[in-house]
Amino acid sequence: DAGVIQSPRHEVTEMGQEVTLRCKPISGHNSLFWYRQTMMRGLELLIYFNNNVPIDDSGMPEDRFSAKMPNASFSTLKIQPSEPRDSAVYFCASSQGQVDPSTDTQYFGPGTRLTVL
Amino acid sequence: AQKITQTQPGMFVQEKEAVTLDCTYDTSDPSYGLFWYKQPSSGEMIFLIYQGSYDQQNATEGRYSLNFQKARKSANLVISASQLGDSAMYFCAIIDRGSTLGRLYFGRGTQLTVWP
């Protein structure tokens, strides 16, 4: 079974450029999460979707960040314009979206390592 | 307030020995789930084990077991017969019913090093 798929795995860009990260959740999963991991701040939840609808985007750092989920099998996280402080590993995760969330396991993709010069 | 506390930034264990990684949690919800993830140096986040708050028995998955002490609000991960490949960062996480639609709260992690 395919797990969560993320692309690209590595991205190096220059400050000011637009960056788009992509995620394909596990088939049949209804919830999708975007996380960012840095040494300083650990794992931070940026946004999560349920049934393609954004539920909570309070973790999105600022207006430069946006996320979409146009259908059940695809999501994007866009940074425009990118800044050096955005350098991090960005993870996408998905879960079934159980009615009782305390039983819901999130499965992570391999992550995208973003470096903004 | 922190929902998950991992007090051990780093742990060392000799190969074939058992090791316990500590995790305490904070929730007032009677229904919650506790998770452990492994992050090796390659970077991926690997789900290891799950414990539900109503589960009567401690969860086990192969060499991993969860020492669940509800009254103390602790959910320690026990790795038996450590292997060199167990060297990684380990994260404890919680979902409770207050976590709308499955939001996970992570601890800061424990870096485990297994030496030969």
Side-chain angles (χ1 to χ4, degrees), chain A residues 9 31 33 35 37-43 45 48 50 55-56 58 89 91 95 97-98 100-110 113, chain B residues 31-35 37 39 41-47 50-53 89 91 95-108:
Chain A
R9 294 293 307 275
S31 292
F33 306 81
Y35 290 89
Q37 186 180 36
T38 61
M39 288 294 293
M40 291 295 294
R41 300 172 70 95
L43 270 162
L45 178 66
Y48 69 93
N50 182 259
I55 301 301
D56 184 353
S58 59
V89 179
F91 288 102
S95 69
Q98 303 272 25
D100 181 356
S102 69
T103 64
D104 214 13
T105 299
Q106 291 183 25
Y107 295 91
F108 283 72
R113 183 174 296 276
Chain B
S31 177
Y32 52 89
L34 294 153
F35 302 80
Y37 288 84
Q39 187 175 39
S41 58
S42 52
E44 68 268 35
M45 290 283 286
I46 302 166
F47 165 70
Y50 162 82
Q51 178 85 45
S53 60
M89 183 73 86
F91 292 94
I95 295 178
D96 57 27
R97 274 197 302 225
S99 310
T100 308
L101 292 168
R103 178 179 178 145
L104 262 178
Y105 294 88
F106 284 89
R108 292 304 301 256

Short mmCIF file of all heavy atoms in Angstrom, two decimals, chain A residues 9 31 33 35 37-43 45 48 50 55-56 58 89 91 95 97-98 100-110 113, chain B residues 31-35 37 39 41-47 50-53 89 91 95-108:
data_model
loop_
_atom_site.label_atom_id
_atom_site.label_comp_id
_atom_site.label_asym_id
_atom_site.label_seq_id
_atom_site.Cartn_x
_atom_site.Cartn_y
_atom_site.Cartn_z
N ARG A 9 11.23 16.07 -2.66
CA ARG A 9 11.84 15.65 -1.41
C ARG A 9 12.80 16.73 -0.90
O ARG A 9 13.00 16.88 0.31
CB ARG A 9 12.58 14.33 -1.59
CG ARG A 9 11.68 13.15 -1.90
CD ARG A 9 10.78 12.80 -0.71
NE ARG A 9 11.54 12.59 0.50
CZ ARG A 9 12.11 11.44 0.82
NH1 ARG A 9 12.00 10.40 0.04
NH2 ARG A 9 12.78 11.34 1.98
N SER A 31 -8.66 13.14 6.58
CA SER A 31 -7.99 14.28 7.21
C SER A 31 -6.57 14.39 6.70
O SER A 31 -5.88 13.39 6.55
CB SER A 31 -7.98 14.12 8.74
OG SER A 31 -9.28 14.23 9.26
N PHE A 33 -2.93 16.87 7.13
CA PHE A 33 -2.24 17.82 8.01
C PHE A 33 -0.93 18.25 7.36
O PHE A 33 -0.23 17.42 6.78
CB PHE A 33 -1.92 17.15 9.35
CG PHE A 33 -3.11 16.53 10.04
CD1 PHE A 33 -3.57 15.28 9.66
CD2 PHE A 33 -3.76 17.20 11.06
CE1 PHE A 33 -4.66 14.71 10.29
CE2 PHE A 33 -4.85 16.63 11.70
CZ PHE A 33 -5.30 15.38 11.31
N TYR A 35 2.67 19.94 8.57
CA TYR A 35 3.52 20.28 9.71
C TYR A 35 4.82 20.88 9.21
O TYR A 35 5.27 20.60 8.10
CB TYR A 35 3.88 19.03 10.53
CG TYR A 35 2.76 18.40 11.30
CD1 TYR A 35 1.96 17.42 10.72
CD2 TYR A 35 2.53 18.73 12.63
CE1 TYR A 35 0.94 16.81 11.44
CE2 TYR A 35 1.52 18.12 13.36
CZ TYR A 35 0.73 17.16 12.76
OH TYR A 35 -0.27 16.55 13.48
N GLN A 37 8.87 21.33 10.67
CA GLN A 37 9.81 20.94 11.73
C GLN A 37 11.11 21.72 11.60
O GLN A 37 11.75 21.72 10.56
CB GLN A 37 10.10 19.43 11.67
CG GLN A 37 10.96 18.95 12.83
CD GLN A 37 11.24 17.46 12.76
OE1 GLN A 37 11.42 16.89 11.68
NE2 GLN A 37 11.25 16.81 13.91
N THR A 38 11.49 22.37 12.69
CA THR A 38 12.77 23.05 12.79
C THR A 38 13.41 22.68 14.11
O THR A 38 12.73 22.23 15.04
CB THR A 38 12.63 24.58 12.72
OG1 THR A 38 11.81 25.00 13.82
CG2 THR A 38 11.98 25.03 11.42
N MET A 39 14.70 22.87 14.19
CA MET A 39 15.40 22.58 15.44
C MET A 39 14.88 23.47 16.56
O MET A 39 14.71 23.04 17.69
CB MET A 39 16.90 22.78 15.25
CG MET A 39 17.56 21.71 14.41
SD MET A 39 17.54 20.10 15.22
CE MET A 39 18.62 20.43 16.59
N MET A 40 14.63 24.72 16.22
CA MET A 40 14.26 25.69 17.25
C MET A 40 12.85 25.46 17.78
O MET A 40 12.60 25.56 18.98
CB MET A 40 14.38 27.11 16.71
CG MET A 40 15.80 27.56 16.46
SD MET A 40 16.75 27.64 17.98
CE MET A 40 15.89 28.97 18.82
N ARG A 41 11.92 25.14 16.88
CA ARG A 41 10.52 25.13 17.27
C ARG A 41 9.90 23.73 17.29
O ARG A 41 8.73 23.58 17.65
CB ARG A 41 9.73 26.03 16.33
CG ARG A 41 10.20 27.48 16.35
CD ARG A 41 9.51 28.30 15.26
NE ARG A 41 8.10 28.49 15.59
CZ ARG A 41 7.62 29.56 16.22
NH1 ARG A 41 8.45 30.53 16.59
NH2 ARG A 41 6.33 29.67 16.46
N GLY A 42 10.69 22.72 16.90
CA GLY A 42 10.15 21.37 16.87
C GLY A 42 9.10 21.21 15.78
O GLY A 42 9.16 21.87 14.75
N LEU A 43 8.14 20.34 16.03
CA LEU A 43 7.06 20.07 15.08
C LEU A 43 5.90 21.02 15.32
O LEU A 43 5.34 21.05 16.40
CB LEU A 43 6.55 18.64 15.24
CG LEU A 43 7.23 17.58 14.41
CD1 LEU A 43 6.93 16.21 14.98
CD2 LEU A 43 6.78 17.64 12.96
N LEU A 45 2.13 22.30 13.84
CA LEU A 45 1.01 22.09 12.92
C LEU A 45 0.70 23.41 12.22
O LEU A 45 0.47 24.42 12.88
CB LEU A 45 -0.22 21.59 13.67
CG LEU A 45 -1.47 21.39 12.83
CD1 LEU A 45 -1.27 20.26 11.83
CD2 LEU A 45 -2.66 21.10 13.73
N TYR A 48 -4.81 22.02 8.98
CA TYR A 48 -5.34 20.72 8.65
C TYR A 48 -6.72 20.80 8.02
O TYR A 48 -7.47 21.75 8.24
CB TYR A 48 -5.29 19.73 9.81
CG TYR A 48 -6.19 19.97 10.98
CD1 TYR A 48 -7.45 19.41 11.07
CD2 TYR A 48 -5.72 20.72 12.05
CE1 TYR A 48 -8.24 19.60 12.19
CE2 TYR A 48 -6.50 20.91 13.17
CZ TYR A 48 -7.75 20.33 13.24
OH TYR A 48 -8.52 20.53 14.35
N ASN A 50 -10.23 18.56 6.71
CA ASN A 50 -11.08 17.39 6.82
C ASN A 50 -12.07 17.41 5.65
O ASN A 50 -12.75 18.43 5.45
CB ASN A 50 -11.81 17.35 8.16
CG ASN A 50 -12.67 16.10 8.30
OD1 ASN A 50 -13.88 16.14 8.11
ND2 ASN A 50 -12.05 14.98 8.61
N ILE A 55 -9.90 23.21 8.32
CA ILE A 55 -10.56 23.25 9.61
C ILE A 55 -9.88 24.26 10.54
O ILE A 55 -10.53 24.99 11.26
CB ILE A 55 -10.57 21.87 10.27
CG1 ILE A 55 -11.29 20.85 9.36
CG2 ILE A 55 -11.20 21.91 11.65
CD1 ILE A 55 -12.72 21.21 9.04
N ASP A 56 -8.56 24.24 10.51
CA ASP A 56 -7.82 25.12 11.40
C ASP A 56 -6.53 25.54 10.71
O ASP A 56 -5.69 24.69 10.42
CB ASP A 56 -7.52 24.40 12.71
CG ASP A 56 -6.83 25.29 13.74
OD1 ASP A 56 -6.45 26.43 13.41
OD2 ASP A 56 -6.66 24.84 14.89
N SER A 58 -4.73 28.16 12.03
CA SER A 58 -4.14 29.09 12.99
C SER A 58 -2.63 28.95 13.10
O SER A 58 -1.95 29.85 13.59
CB SER A 58 -4.78 28.92 14.38
OG SER A 58 -4.60 27.60 14.84
N VAL A 89 11.91 21.37 7.44
CA VAL A 89 11.33 20.18 6.81
C VAL A 89 9.82 20.29 6.95
O VAL A 89 9.30 20.52 8.06
CB VAL A 89 11.83 18.88 7.46
CG1 VAL A 89 11.18 17.67 6.80
CG2 VAL A 89 13.36 18.78 7.35
N PHE A 91 6.28 18.43 6.58
CA PHE A 91 5.65 17.12 6.52
C PHE A 91 4.17 17.26 6.21
O PHE A 91 3.49 18.16 6.71
CB PHE A 91 5.77 16.38 7.86
CG PHE A 91 7.14 15.88 8.18
CD1 PHE A 91 7.95 16.56 9.08
CD2 PHE A 91 7.62 14.72 7.60
CE1 PHE A 91 9.22 16.10 9.39
CE2 PHE A 91 8.89 14.25 7.91
CZ PHE A 91 9.68 14.93 8.80
N SER A 95 -4.89 10.98 8.02
CA SER A 95 -5.54 10.03 8.93
C SER A 95 -6.95 9.78 8.42
O SER A 95 -7.45 10.50 7.57
CB SER A 95 -5.57 10.57 10.36
OG SER A 95 -6.44 11.67 10.46
N GLY A 97 -9.67 10.28 9.87
CA GLY A 97 -10.66 11.28 10.25
C GLY A 97 -11.80 10.63 11.01
O GLY A 97 -12.97 10.84 10.72
N GLN A 98 -11.43 9.84 12.02
CA GLN A 98 -12.42 9.11 12.79
C GLN A 98 -13.35 10.07 13.54
O GLN A 98 -12.96 11.17 13.91
CB GLN A 98 -11.71 8.24 13.84
CG GLN A 98 -10.70 7.26 13.28
CD GLN A 98 -11.33 5.94 12.91
OE1 GLN A 98 -12.52 5.86 12.64
NE2 GLN A 98 -10.53 4.88 12.89
N ASP A 100 -14.34 9.60 16.51
CA ASP A 100 -13.63 9.77 17.78
C ASP A 100 -12.15 10.00 17.47
O ASP A 100 -11.43 9.06 17.16
CB ASP A 100 -13.79 8.53 18.66
CG ASP A 100 -13.08 8.67 20.00
OD1 ASP A 100 -12.40 9.69 20.22
OD2 ASP A 100 -13.20 7.75 20.83
N PRO A 101 -11.70 11.25 17.55
CA PRO A 101 -10.32 11.54 17.15
C PRO A 101 -9.29 10.85 18.02
O PRO A 101 -8.14 10.69 17.60
CB PRO A 101 -10.23 13.06 17.28
CG PRO A 101 -11.30 13.44 18.24
CD PRO A 101 -12.40 12.44 18.03
N SER A 102 -9.67 10.44 19.21
CA SER A 102 -8.68 9.82 20.10
C SER A 102 -8.25 8.44 19.59
O SER A 102 -7.33 7.85 20.15
CB SER A 102 -9.23 9.72 21.53
OG SER A 102 -10.28 8.79 21.59
N THR A 103 -8.87 7.95 18.55
CA THR A 103 -8.47 6.66 17.96
C THR A 103 -7.82 6.84 16.59
O THR A 103 -7.53 5.87 15.92
CB THR A 103 -9.68 5.72 17.80
OG1 THR A 103 -10.58 6.32 16.86
CG2 THR A 103 -10.38 5.49 19.13
N ASP A 104 -7.57 8.08 16.20
CA ASP A 104 -7.14 8.36 14.82
C ASP A 104 -5.63 8.44 14.73
O ASP A 104 -5.01 9.31 15.34
CB ASP A 104 -7.77 9.70 14.40
CG ASP A 104 -8.13 9.74 12.94
OD1 ASP A 104 -8.13 8.67 12.29
OD2 ASP A 104 -8.41 10.83 12.44
N THR A 105 -5.02 7.57 13.95
CA THR A 105 -3.57 7.56 13.79
C THR A 105 -3.19 8.37 12.55
O THR A 105 -3.75 8.17 11.47
CB THR A 105 -3.04 6.13 13.63
OG1 THR A 105 -3.35 5.38 14.81
CG2 THR A 105 -1.54 6.11 13.40
N GLN A 106 -2.22 9.26 12.71
CA GLN A 106 -1.71 10.02 11.58
C GLN A 106 -0.49 9.33 11.01
O GLN A 106 0.42 8.93 11.75
CB GLN A 106 -1.35 11.44 12.01
CG GLN A 106 -2.55 12.29 12.35
CD GLN A 106 -2.20 13.71 12.70
OE1 GLN A 106 -1.17 14.25 12.30
NE2 GLN A 106 -3.07 14.35 13.48
N TYR A 107 -0.45 9.23 9.70
CA TYR A 107 0.67 8.64 8.99
C TYR A 107 1.35 9.75 8.19
O TYR A 107 0.69 10.49 7.46
CB TYR A 107 0.22 7.50 8.08
CG TYR A 107 -0.35 6.35 8.85
CD1 TYR A 107 -1.72 6.29 9.13
CD2 TYR A 107 0.47 5.35 9.36
CE1 TYR A 107 -2.25 5.24 9.88
CE2 TYR A 107 -0.06 4.30 10.09
CZ TYR A 107 -1.41 4.26 10.35
OH TYR A 107 -1.92 3.23 11.09
N PHE A 108 2.66 9.81 8.34
CA PHE A 108 3.41 10.92 7.77
C PHE A 108 4.05 10.54 6.44
O PHE A 108 4.46 9.39 6.22
CB PHE A 108 4.52 11.35 8.73
CG PHE A 108 4.03 12.17 9.89
CD1 PHE A 108 3.28 11.59 10.91
CD2 PHE A 108 4.30 13.53 9.96
CE1 PHE A 108 2.81 12.34 11.97
CE2 PHE A 108 3.84 14.30 11.02
CZ PHE A 108 3.10 13.70 12.02
N GLY A 109 4.17 11.54 5.59
CA GLY A 109 4.97 11.40 4.40
C GLY A 109 6.44 11.55 4.72
O GLY A 109 6.80 11.83 5.86
N PRO A 110 7.31 11.41 3.72
CA PRO A 110 8.75 11.46 3.97
C PRO A 110 9.27 12.86 4.21
O PRO A 110 10.41 13.03 4.65
CB PRO A 110 9.34 10.89 2.67
CG PRO A 110 8.30 11.17 1.64
CD PRO A 110 6.98 11.07 2.33
N ARG A 113 12.44 18.75 2.41
CA ARG A 113 13.45 19.61 3.05
C ARG A 113 13.61 20.86 2.20
O ARG A 113 14.10 20.78 1.07
CB ARG A 113 14.77 18.87 3.21
CG ARG A 113 15.84 19.69 3.93
CD ARG A 113 17.08 18.85 4.20
NE ARG A 113 16.81 17.74 5.10
CZ ARG A 113 16.81 17.81 6.43
NH1 ARG A 113 17.08 18.96 7.03
NH2 ARG A 113 16.57 16.74 7.15
N SER B 31 -11.33 10.78 27.26
CA SER B 31 -11.07 10.01 26.05
C SER B 31 -9.91 10.62 25.28
O SER B 31 -10.00 11.75 24.82
CB SER B 31 -12.32 9.97 25.17
OG SER B 31 -12.07 9.27 23.96
N TYR B 32 -8.83 9.87 25.16
CA TYR B 32 -7.66 10.38 24.45
C TYR B 32 -6.84 9.21 23.91
O TYR B 32 -7.03 8.06 24.30
CB TYR B 32 -6.79 11.28 25.34
CG TYR B 32 -6.40 10.67 26.66
CD1 TYR B 32 -5.25 9.90 26.80
CD2 TYR B 32 -7.19 10.86 27.80
CE1 TYR B 32 -4.90 9.34 28.01
CE2 TYR B 32 -6.85 10.30 29.01
CZ TYR B 32 -5.71 9.54 29.11
OH TYR B 32 -5.38 8.98 30.33
N GLY B 33 -5.98 9.53 22.99
CA GLY B 33 -5.09 8.54 22.42
C GLY B 33 -3.65 9.01 22.53
O GLY B 33 -3.37 10.20 22.35
N LEU B 34 -2.77 8.09 22.82
CA LEU B 34 -1.35 8.40 22.95
C LEU B 34 -0.59 7.65 21.87
O LEU B 34 -0.87 6.49 21.57
CB LEU B 34 -0.85 7.99 24.33
CG LEU B 34 -1.47 8.82 25.46
CD1 LEU B 34 -1.48 8.03 26.75
CD2 LEU B 34 -0.71 10.12 25.63
N PHE B 35 0.38 8.32 21.29
CA PHE B 35 1.10 7.78 20.15
C PHE B 35 2.61 7.98 20.37
O PHE B 35 3.04 8.96 20.97
CB PHE B 35 0.72 8.52 18.85
CG PHE B 35 -0.74 8.47 18.52
CD1 PHE B 35 -1.64 9.32 19.15
CD2 PHE B 35 -1.22 7.58 17.59
CE1 PHE B 35 -2.99 9.28 18.86
CE2 PHE B 35 -2.57 7.54 17.27
CZ PHE B 35 -3.45 8.39 17.91
N TYR B 37 6.12 8.05 17.89
CA TYR B 37 6.68 8.06 16.55
C TYR B 37 8.20 8.02 16.65
O TYR B 37 8.79 8.56 17.59
CB TYR B 37 6.28 9.34 15.79
CG TYR B 37 4.83 9.40 15.37
CD1 TYR B 37 3.86 9.83 16.24
CD2 TYR B 37 4.45 9.03 14.09
CE1 TYR B 37 2.52 9.89 15.86
CE2 TYR B 37 3.12 9.09 13.68
CZ TYR B 37 2.17 9.52 14.58
OH TYR B 37 0.86 9.58 14.17
N GLN B 39 11.74 8.96 14.53
CA GLN B 39 12.30 9.72 13.42
C GLN B 39 13.79 9.43 13.31
O GLN B 39 14.60 10.00 14.04
CB GLN B 39 12.06 11.23 13.59
CG GLN B 39 12.49 12.04 12.35
CD GLN B 39 12.15 13.51 12.47
OE1 GLN B 39 12.25 14.12 13.53
NE2 GLN B 39 11.73 14.10 11.35
N SER B 41 17.58 9.32 11.37
CA SER B 41 18.35 10.42 10.78
C SER B 41 17.94 10.70 9.35
O SER B 41 18.17 11.80 8.84
CB SER B 41 19.85 10.12 10.87
OG SER B 41 20.14 8.92 10.20
N SER B 42 17.33 9.74 8.69
CA SER B 42 16.85 9.95 7.33
C SER B 42 15.66 10.91 7.27
O SER B 42 15.32 11.42 6.21
CB SER B 42 16.49 8.62 6.68
OG SER B 42 15.61 7.91 7.53
N GLY B 43 15.01 11.14 8.41
CA GLY B 43 14.03 12.21 8.51
C GLY B 43 12.58 11.81 8.51
O GLY B 43 11.74 12.62 8.93
N GLU B 44 12.22 10.63 8.08
CA GLU B 44 10.80 10.30 8.04
C GLU B 44 10.24 10.08 9.44
O GLU B 44 10.98 9.78 10.36
CB GLU B 44 10.54 9.07 7.16
CG GLU B 44 11.08 7.77 7.70
CD GLU B 44 12.47 7.45 7.22
OE1 GLU B 44 13.27 8.39 7.03
OE2 GLU B 44 12.76 6.25 7.05
N MET B 45 8.96 10.27 9.60
CA MET B 45 8.26 10.06 10.87
C MET B 45 7.50 8.75 10.78
O MET B 45 6.59 8.61 9.97
CB MET B 45 7.27 11.20 11.14
CG MET B 45 7.92 12.52 11.46
SD MET B 45 8.53 12.57 13.15
CE MET B 45 6.99 12.74 14.03
N ILE B 46 7.88 7.81 11.63
CA ILE B 46 7.33 6.46 11.55
C ILE B 46 6.45 6.20 12.77
O ILE B 46 6.93 6.30 13.91
CB ILE B 46 8.48 5.43 11.49
CG1 ILE B 46 9.39 5.71 10.29
CG2 ILE B 46 7.92 4.01 11.43
CD1 ILE B 46 10.71 4.97 10.33
N PHE B 47 5.20 5.85 12.53
CA PHE B 47 4.30 5.51 13.63
C PHE B 47 4.72 4.19 14.24
O PHE B 47 4.98 3.20 13.53
CB PHE B 47 2.86 5.42 13.11
CG PHE B 47 1.92 4.74 14.05
CD1 PHE B 47 1.55 5.34 15.23
CD2 PHE B 47 1.41 3.48 13.76
CE1 PHE B 47 0.69 4.72 16.12
CE2 PHE B 47 0.55 2.85 14.62
CZ PHE B 47 0.19 3.47 15.82
N TYR B 50 0.26 2.78 19.57
CA TYR B 50 -0.89 3.59 20.01
C TYR B 50 -1.48 2.98 21.29
O TYR B 50 -1.55 1.75 21.44
CB TYR B 50 -1.95 3.59 18.91
CG TYR B 50 -3.33 4.01 19.39
CD1 TYR B 50 -3.64 5.36 19.51
CD2 TYR B 50 -4.31 3.07 19.73
CE1 TYR B 50 -4.89 5.77 19.96
CE2 TYR B 50 -5.56 3.47 20.17
CZ TYR B 50 -5.85 4.81 20.28
OH TYR B 50 -7.08 5.21 20.72
N GLN B 51 -1.89 3.88 22.19
CA GLN B 51 -2.57 3.46 23.42
C GLN B 51 -3.80 4.33 23.59
O GLN B 51 -3.69 5.56 23.64
CB GLN B 51 -1.66 3.64 24.64
CG GLN B 51 -2.29 3.28 25.97
CD GLN B 51 -2.20 1.82 26.28
OE1 GLN B 51 -1.17 1.19 26.12
NE2 GLN B 51 -3.29 1.24 26.77
N GLY B 52 -4.97 3.72 23.68
CA GLY B 52 -6.19 4.47 23.95
C GLY B 52 -6.41 4.58 25.46
O GLY B 52 -6.04 3.68 26.22
N SER B 53 -7.06 5.65 25.85
CA SER B 53 -7.22 5.90 27.29
C SER B 53 -8.11 4.85 27.96
O SER B 53 -8.01 4.63 29.16
CB SER B 53 -7.80 7.30 27.52
OG SER B 53 -9.06 7.44 26.88
N MET B 89 15.32 9.80 16.86
CA MET B 89 14.55 10.67 17.73
C MET B 89 13.18 10.04 17.91
O MET B 89 12.58 9.53 16.94
CB MET B 89 14.42 12.06 17.10
CG MET B 89 13.69 13.07 17.95
SD MET B 89 14.65 13.64 19.35
CE MET B 89 15.56 14.97 18.56
N PHE B 91 9.26 10.62 19.41
CA PHE B 91 8.28 11.62 19.80
C PHE B 91 7.05 10.95 20.40
O PHE B 91 6.51 9.99 19.85
CB PHE B 91 7.84 12.46 18.59
CG PHE B 91 8.91 13.35 18.04
CD1 PHE B 91 9.71 12.93 16.98
CD2 PHE B 91 9.12 14.61 18.57
CE1 PHE B 91 10.70 13.75 16.46
CE2 PHE B 91 10.11 15.44 18.05
CZ PHE B 91 10.90 15.00 17.01
N ILE B 95 -3.77 12.85 21.21
CA ILE B 95 -5.00 13.42 20.67
C ILE B 95 -6.06 13.23 21.74
O ILE B 95 -6.20 12.13 22.28
CB ILE B 95 -5.47 12.71 19.39
CG1 ILE B 95 -4.48 12.90 18.25
CG2 ILE B 95 -6.85 13.18 18.97
CD1 ILE B 95 -4.88 12.17 16.99
N ASP B 96 -6.81 14.29 22.05
CA ASP B 96 -7.97 14.09 22.90
C ASP B 96 -9.21 14.57 22.17
O ASP B 96 -9.12 15.09 21.05
CB ASP B 96 -7.79 14.76 24.27
CG ASP B 96 -7.52 16.25 24.17
OD1 ASP B 96 -7.94 16.89 23.18
OD2 ASP B 96 -6.88 16.79 25.10
N ARG B 97 -10.35 14.42 22.79
CA ARG B 97 -11.58 14.79 22.07
C ARG B 97 -11.68 16.29 21.88
O ARG B 97 -12.44 16.76 21.04
CB ARG B 97 -12.81 14.23 22.79
CG ARG B 97 -13.15 12.80 22.36
CD ARG B 97 -14.54 12.45 22.74
NE ARG B 97 -14.72 12.60 24.16
CZ ARG B 97 -15.34 11.70 24.92
NH1 ARG B 97 -15.83 10.61 24.38
NH2 ARG B 97 -15.48 11.91 26.20
N GLY B 98 -10.90 17.02 22.68
CA GLY B 98 -10.83 18.46 22.45
C GLY B 98 -10.02 18.81 21.23
O GLY B 98 -10.07 19.94 20.75
N SER B 99 -9.25 17.84 20.72
CA SER B 99 -8.45 18.07 19.52
C SER B 99 -9.36 17.88 18.33
O SER B 99 -9.50 16.79 17.79
CB SER B 99 -7.30 17.07 19.43
OG SER B 99 -6.58 17.00 20.62
N THR B 100 -9.93 18.94 17.88
CA THR B 100 -10.93 18.84 16.83
C THR B 100 -10.44 18.05 15.64
O THR B 100 -9.40 18.36 15.08
CB THR B 100 -11.32 20.26 16.36
OG1 THR B 100 -11.67 21.03 17.49
CG2 THR B 100 -12.50 20.19 15.40
N LEU B 101 -11.16 17.02 15.32
CA LEU B 101 -10.90 16.22 14.13
C LEU B 101 -9.45 15.73 14.04
O LEU B 101 -8.86 15.71 12.97
CB LEU B 101 -11.29 16.99 12.87
CG LEU B 101 -12.82 17.19 12.75
CD1 LEU B 101 -13.14 18.18 11.68
CD2 LEU B 101 -13.52 15.88 12.51
N GLY B 102 -8.90 15.39 15.18
CA GLY B 102 -7.66 14.63 15.15
C GLY B 102 -6.37 15.40 15.18
O GLY B 102 -5.37 14.92 14.69
N ARG B 103 -6.35 16.56 15.78
CA ARG B 103 -5.11 17.32 15.88
C ARG B 103 -4.19 16.68 16.90
O ARG B 103 -4.56 16.52 18.06
CB ARG B 103 -5.43 18.77 16.27
CG ARG B 103 -4.20 19.62 16.44
CD ARG B 103 -4.60 21.03 16.79
NE ARG B 103 -3.41 21.85 17.02
CZ ARG B 103 -3.30 23.11 16.71
NH1 ARG B 103 -4.34 23.73 16.17
NH2 ARG B 103 -2.21 23.79 16.94
N LEU B 104 -2.97 16.36 16.52
CA LEU B 104 -1.95 15.75 17.38
C LEU B 104 -1.12 16.83 18.07
O LEU B 104 -0.74 17.80 17.42
CB LEU B 104 -0.99 14.91 16.55
CG LEU B 104 -1.17 13.40 16.44
CD1 LEU B 104 -0.12 12.85 15.50
CD2 LEU B 104 -1.08 12.74 17.79
N TYR B 105 -0.83 16.61 19.34
CA TYR B 105 0.11 17.48 20.05
C TYR B 105 1.35 16.65 20.37
O TYR B 105 1.26 15.60 20.99
CB TYR B 105 -0.52 18.01 21.33
CG TYR B 105 -1.68 18.94 21.10
CD1 TYR B 105 -2.97 18.45 20.98
CD2 TYR B 105 -1.49 20.31 20.98
CE1 TYR B 105 -4.04 19.29 20.76
CE2 TYR B 105 -2.56 21.16 20.76
CZ TYR B 105 -3.83 20.64 20.64
OH TYR B 105 -4.89 21.48 20.41
N PHE B 106 2.51 17.17 19.94
CA PHE B 106 3.77 16.44 20.08
C PHE B 106 4.60 16.99 21.23
O PHE B 106 4.55 18.19 21.53
CB PHE B 106 4.60 16.57 18.80
CG PHE B 106 4.14 15.73 17.67
CD1 PHE B 106 3.20 16.20 16.77
CD2 PHE B 106 4.64 14.45 17.49
CE1 PHE B 106 2.76 15.41 15.71
CE2 PHE B 106 4.22 13.66 16.43
CZ PHE B 106 3.28 14.14 15.54
N GLY B 107 5.41 16.09 21.82
CA GLY B 107 6.48 16.54 22.70
C GLY B 107 7.69 16.96 21.89
O GLY B 107 7.68 16.89 20.66
N ARG B 108 8.76 17.38 22.61
CA ARG B 108 9.95 17.85 21.93
C ARG B 108 10.88 16.73 21.50
O ARG B 108 11.84 16.96 20.78
CB ARG B 108 10.71 18.85 22.82
CG ARG B 108 9.99 20.16 23.04
CD ARG B 108 9.64 20.85 21.74
NE ARG B 108 10.81 21.14 20.94
CZ ARG B 108 11.35 22.35 20.80
NH1 ARG B 108 10.79 23.38 21.41
NH2 ARG B 108 12.41 22.54 20.03
#
